[in-house]
Amino acid sequence: METIIIGQGYNIEEDSSVGKELIKQFESKIYDSFTCLVAFASYGGYR
């Protein structure tokens, strides 16, 4: 299994941004499906 660490956001100048990594993987023929879970939290919502 290969593991990579990617930064947040779509920063085109960075080689390790989430956006660039997703684009690279979506263009790959290795995968045929995509599942994503996303969660956002704020300090105010937590309190």
Side-chain angles (χ1 to χ4, degrees):
M1 178 167 85
E2 180 181 342
T3 303
I4 58 172
I5 298 173
I6 53 178
Q8 292 182 318
Y10 184 74
N11 185 350
I12 198 74
E13 287 82 29
E14 294 294 325
D15 288 334
S16 62
S17 71
V18 172
K20 280 185 126 176
E21 188 61 32
L22 285 175
I23 290 168
K24 182 173 84 174
Q25 297 304 325
F26 289 153
E27 291 175 343
S28 169
K29 303 296 183 201
I30 297 172
Y31 308 105
D32 61 4
S33 65
F34 173 72
T35 303
C36 180
L37 300 172
V38 178
F40 294 94
S42 68
Y43 183 71
Y46 170 74
R47 285 192 78 171

